[in-house]
Amino acid sequence: MSLAPHELFAPLLDTRHMTAAFRRHLPECLSGEWELTGCAIEHPRYKTYLSEENRGRSSLALLYHLSVRRSARAAAEPALIYARAFLGERSQAEFETARAGTAPERRHALLHMPELGLVGWRFPQDPAMPWLEDLLSPEHRDARIPGLEAPVEIQVINYRPEIRCTARYRPLGERTAPRTVYGKTYANGAGCRIHENLQALRRQSNVPGCFVLPEPLAYDADRRTLWLDGLHGEPLLDALVRYQDASLITPLCRGLARLQHQRVPHGPTITADEQLQEWRKKARKLAHAFPALAPDLSALGQTLAQQMPAAADPVLIHGDFHAGQLARMPDGRLALFDFDELAWGDPMFDLANFVSDLFVQPMDDHQRLRLAQQLLASYQRHAPRPDGIARFIWQLRGQLLTRAYRAFIQQKPDTQNRVTRLLASARQPYETGWNA
């Protein structure tokens, strides 16, 4: 039996293997310019075809975080390489296409490792955001940043290749509570829609109980960059999850209920049927990767199909609502961030997403169950629904399946055990265990 595409790509997700491979093939390592001391992997994205006739079209995209030293006494510094991997001899043609589409003065950032079928871009080069290098270059320190006077220091906070990059800009050399501005750069025009949505939300959030939202300063259409004023506060992940501060539960659930009654000009509608179809796709891929889990995945799929709730009027959902997206401000109010995934959907979507994230946090089962019960009970007080508990349980099962799939594609250490634990959690009898 021939290997599946994800099995053929497996060596590229092995950090030890790739550390050795980069040492053998990277020009910077071969010349002695870099001493490679470590390698981590983020954001793997598969495009796989299982049929024999189409399998050769499969590809893998991922981001390598390298740790390098430029001299024996120098401190380690990060170096990012975005890579696309292909099967067979396809990488040569893909490299030539990438080279032809790159300005001559920027081709030095391209990388081809034919032995691994890999085409790469040295950050900040990105094939979908060619303007990113200008925004992050040292020369941009003297450019005009909305809300800041030049010069500024720049720090990359989050990078999703070919999707978006978030950077933090601060006055250069200032250390006493400096004003912070964030620039979110997108590969498409999403920043314009997010800018308009955030403006609309802020106009509706001046009543007690609403989340504090960052101020959108400007949108640069030429560089597809949304500029946001920074907010400073204590991460909710620390206060709620690590220190079990129950006083945050009521403002959290009240703020979520308020958000769901607001309106924005842009956003797709996500139906329960669309969610179910997406979960089924993930379950099939997991069953193919882990045949021993196929019976559990089949049973979970049947449960999700049987328990799918009736259609409800969609509400505004954040779409990526978890403790890492919130902070407690100095005045006690809660601030909410990241509005890229705003949509219309199931009223329990966001709360179930928040709770499903607890399953990947360092908590014991009793703490997790207690916190989930408190969150559900509080949310039901602020947004009561007769079918709220059943709807929440259905969303929670599906979103735990999504997290199991995410654990698989990210190929973190102990992947199969992670997937197994999350699937076991998705199949728990929550009707009796978490009935708030």
Side-chain angles (χ1 to χ4, degrees):
M1 178 188 247
S2 58
L3 293 176
H6 77 270
E7 294 173 307
L8 294 170
F9 288 130
L12 301 179
L13 291 158
D14 183 323
T15 55
R16 288 186 181 179
H17 175 84
M18 289 309 299
T19 298
F22 282 128
R23 284 172 177 158
R24 290 195 307 269
H25 298 294
L26 271 182
E28 293 90 338
C29 292
L30 293 173
S31 69
E33 179 185 351
W34 284 359
E35 178 192 354
L36 181 57
T37 60
C39 173
I41 295 171
E42 274 193 325
H43 310 310
R45 301 195 310 271
Y46 289 94
K47 183 180 287 186
T48 58
Y49 300 87
L50 300 180
S51 65
E52 195 64 37
E53 63 271 21
N54 290 322
R55 191 175 62 161
R57 296 168 54 200
S58 299
S59 62
L60 169 67
L62 68 172
L63 180 65
Y64 291 105
H65 280 254
L66 306 183
S67 180
V68 303
R69 280 202 295 258
R70 297 182 185 273
S71 69
R73 295 184 178 181
E77 58 184 88
L80 306 183
I81 293 179
Y82 169 51
R84 294 181 191 156
F86 306 91
L87 299 178
E89 305 296 324
R90 203 175 135 204
S91 70
Q92 183 62 47
E94 295 288 344
F95 175 69
E96 291 172 0
T97 299
R99 191 175 186 278
T102 303
E105 67 273 14
R106 293 181 171 175
R107 287 176 182 165
H108 66 278
L110 285 173
L111 173 69
H112 185 211
M113 298 170 65
E115 301 85 351
L116 300 172
L118 185 148
V119 177
W121 290 260
R122 296 169 176 86
F123 186 80
Q125 274 292 306
D126 183 292
M129 296 182 284
W131 54 87
L132 185 59
E133 184 175 17
D134 292 334
L135 282 172
L136 301 178
S137 67
E139 290 77 13
H140 197 75
R141 296 173 192 269
D142 297 323
R144 174 74 176 167
I145 307 295
L148 292 180
E149 296 294 332
V152 298
E153 61 180 8
I154 305 171
Q155 181 183 3
V156 175
I157 301 301
N158 183 270
Y159 174 50
R160 294 291 302 272
E162 297 195 84
I163 300 176
R164 62 182 175 268
C165 180
T166 303
R168 181 168 58 206
Y169 297 77
R170 289 174 170 169
L172 187 63
E174 187 174 329
R175 291 292 178 265
T176 305
R179 182 177 186 182
T180 301
V181 171
Y182 291 88
K184 296 192 71 171
T185 302
Y186 298 84
N188 55 24
C192 181
R193 298 190 298 273
I194 296 164
H195 183 218
E196 293 175 358
N197 282 345
L198 189 50
Q199 287 179 315
L201 288 177
R202 281 179 57 85
R203 288 194 294 268
Q204 302 167 71
S205 298
N206 56 355
V207 296
C210 288
F211 292 128
V212 179
L213 308 179
E215 179 185 358
L217 300 175
Y219 177 68
D220 181 344
D222 292 334
R223 291 177 171 173
R224 299 180 183 176
T225 298
L226 173 61
W227 297 100
L228 299 165
D229 198 12
L231 294 174
H232 301 279
E234 177 191 11
L236 198 74
L237 187 64
D238 291 336
L240 182 63
V241 175
R242 294 177 183 165
Y243 303 126
Q244 304 288 301
D245 187 344
S247 69
L248 293 168
I249 292 174
T250 294
L252 171 66
C253 293
R254 182 173 55 229
L256 178 58
R258 294 273 200 280
L259 177 71
Q260 292 179 338
H261 284 91
Q262 295 179 345
R263 296 290 180 265
V264 295
H266 308 288
T269 297
I270 302 173
T271 67
D273 187 64
E274 288 170 340
Q275 285 188 274
L276 181 60
Q277 296 308 315
E278 189 61 33
W279 291 334
R280 282 173 168 166
K281 290 179 185 177
K282 290 177 169 60
R284 284 196 295 270
K285 291 181 179 180
L286 284 172
H288 189 272
F290 305 107
L293 297 177
D296 288 345
L297 286 159
S298 176
L300 177 58
Q302 291 175 11
T303 299
L304 288 168
Q306 293 165 359
Q307 297 180 354
M308 186 172 74
D313 291 337
V315 300
L316 182 65
I317 59 175
H318 180 270
D320 192 21
F321 192 72
H322 57 81
Q325 302 283 32
L326 293 121
R328 176 163 54 183
M329 305 293 288
D331 62 5
R333 293 182 299 164
L334 298 184
L336 179 63
F337 307 100
D338 193 356
F339 303 89
D340 292 15
E341 307 298 330
L342 286 179
W344 302 95
D346 189 288
M348 288 294 180
F349 185 105
D350 280 334
L351 184 65
N353 189 70
F354 192 99
V355 171
S356 71
D357 181 66
L358 301 180
F359 285 80
V360 297
Q361 300 300 335
M363 306 175 67
D364 64 42
D365 291 341
H366 175 76
Q367 289 176 321
R368 186 181 297 114
L369 174 61
R370 179 61 181 156
L371 181 54
Q373 288 174 326
Q374 292 173 318
L375 287 164
L376 179 56
S378 179
Y379 179 80
Q380 283 281 83
R381 286 194 293 272
H382 290 95
R385 293 187 60 91
D387 64 345
I389 294 173
R391 195 174 288 276
F392 167 79
I393 292 170
W394 186 78
Q395 285 286 345
L396 179 62
R397 294 191 195 282
Q399 295 195 37
L400 285 168
L401 171 60
T402 296
R403 291 192 181 276
Y405 179 76
R406 192 177 301 164
F408 159 60
I409 64 170
Q410 290 177 344
Q411 291 292 301
K412 291 184 177 180
D414 204 23
T415 294
Q416 184 160 352
N417 283 337
R418 288 171 183 259
V419 171
T420 301
R421 286 195 300 269
L422 287 165
L423 289 179
S425 298
R427 297 193 61 210
Q428 288 294 312
Y430 293 127
E431 290 81 1
T432 57
W434 282 7
N435 197 314

